[in-house]
Amino acid sequence: MPKFCLNRIRPLVRVRSPPVHSKNHANFTSSNTDHEKKKENSGDVMKAGVMIGRKIMIVVDSSLESKNALQWALTHTVQSQDMVILLYVTKPSKQGGECNKGTNPRVSEFLSSMKKLCQLRRPEVHIEVAVAEDKEKGPAIVEEAKKRGVAMLILGQKKRSTAWRLIMMWAGNRIAAAGGVEEYCIQNAGCMAIAVRRKSKKVGGYLITTKRQKDFWLLA
């Protein structure tokens, strides 16, 4: 009689175990599904983030320092999804009447050649040109960068001696005496501003100046 009872109890125990396993399996499957959905959602965000690039403004002119800064920016900073704005700053026309920006044929020709150069080196990057007109170059650059909402401002930097700064101070040019247009933009721009100066051919590399570091030697 006891054996008969045990035989009847065992099947009941066996019958109860599958639903528990099924429930655990369902929970595990549901957890995996939720995890996969989270991964997909995060992947979508990352994909959307890749498509959104930065606006990078590069101040250009006919100087060698400006060309070196442009070259450094295209090879070291600009990414495929970024937009590059080439800014040229000119002084107001001496002629009377209102002067339209960018109407100077020489300025237009220069910006066109610089834009073609950028497109040749980085064809995947969107390039725009802009002209600012002001007596003071530094404030004009800072204002233009603010107006266009750029994330980074890049300028060419000249090597200036202490004697040059003293002469500028004596002449009443406060911006030049404080370190030039580059230093003014670094200290006053609302975005990250970088001044670039190329080292000598023997040494190589670039000297990078930002708000936090001065003449950081980048060997590249």
Side-chain angles (χ1 to χ4, degrees):
M1 187 71 179
K3 290 182 181 179
F4 177 77
C5 294
L6 290 173
N7 289 337
R8 292 193 63 181
I9 291 172
R10 285 175 186 171
L12 292 175
V13 175
R14 290 176 184 174
V15 170
R16 288 177 183 176
S17 58
V20 174
H21 175 73
S22 240
K23 186 177 180 181
N24 290 339
H25 180 70
N27 290 337
F28 179 76
T29 306
S30 177
S31 177
N32 281 349
T33 305
D34 292 340
H35 181 66
E36 290 298 327
K37 286 181 179 179
K38 287 180 180 178
K39 284 182 68 178
E40 288 177 4
N41 291 337
S42 63
D44 291 340
V45 172
M46 289 177 65
K47 288 179 182 178
V50 170
M51 295 178 66
I52 302 173
R54 304 167 297 172
K55 285 184 180 181
I56 300 177
M57 179 172 284
I58 307 173
V59 181
V60 294
D61 53 44
S62 58
S63 66
L64 180 61
E65 291 80 9
S66 173
K67 293 177 181 178
N68 289 337
L70 177 61
Q71 181 180 354
W72 177 84
L74 293 176
T75 55
H76 291 76
T77 304
V78 177
Q79 300 177 4
S80 300
Q81 67 273 15
D82 293 336
M83 179 199 301
V84 172
I85 303 173
L86 304 178
L87 175 66
Y88 185 92
V89 182
T90 181
K91 292 182 178 180
S93 175
K94 295 181 180 179
Q95 298 178 356
E98 185 178 354
C99 177
N100 295 325
K101 295 180 180 180
T103 54
N104 189 326
R106 291 184 180 180
V107 173
S108 300
E109 185 179 349
F110 171 76
L111 286 174
S112 178
S113 63
M114 297 301 288
K115 183 177 180 179
K116 288 179 181 178
L117 177 65
C118 293
Q119 290 173 335
L120 183 64
R121 294 187 178 182
R122 298 294 301 272
E124 77 282 7
V125 177
H126 180 68
I127 311 293
E128 289 187 359
V129 297
V131 179
E133 190 175 284
D134 202 306
K135 293 180 180 179
E136 296 290 343
K137 191 173 181 179
I141 295 172
V142 171
E143 181 61 28
E144 198 68 23
K146 180 182 178 181
K147 184 173 68 175
R148 293 181 177 269
V150 301
M152 185 179 296
L153 176 64
I154 300 176
L155 310 93
Q157 186 177 36
K158 295 180 180 180
K159 185 178 181 180
R160 295 184 172 93
S161 63
T162 305
W164 179 86
R165 293 188 181 185
L166 291 173
I167 293 172
M168 291 297 103
M169 187 181 297
W170 178 78
N173 193 330
R174 291 179 298 175
I175 292 179
V181 174
E182 304 85 21
E183 187 66 24
Y184 177 88
C185 293
I186 289 173
Q187 297 300 327
N188 294 278
C191 61
M192 182 179 184
I194 304 175
V196 182
R197 179 163 63 88
R198 192 165 191 172
K199 287 280 282 183
S200 61
K201 293 182 179 180
K202 293 181 180 180
V203 179
Y206 295 86
L207 291 176
I208 308 300
T209 299
T210 63
K211 209 168 190 175
R212 294 185 177 181
Q213 52 191 352
K214 186 176 180 63
D215 292 337
F216 175 78
W217 183 22
L218 179 65
L219 185 60

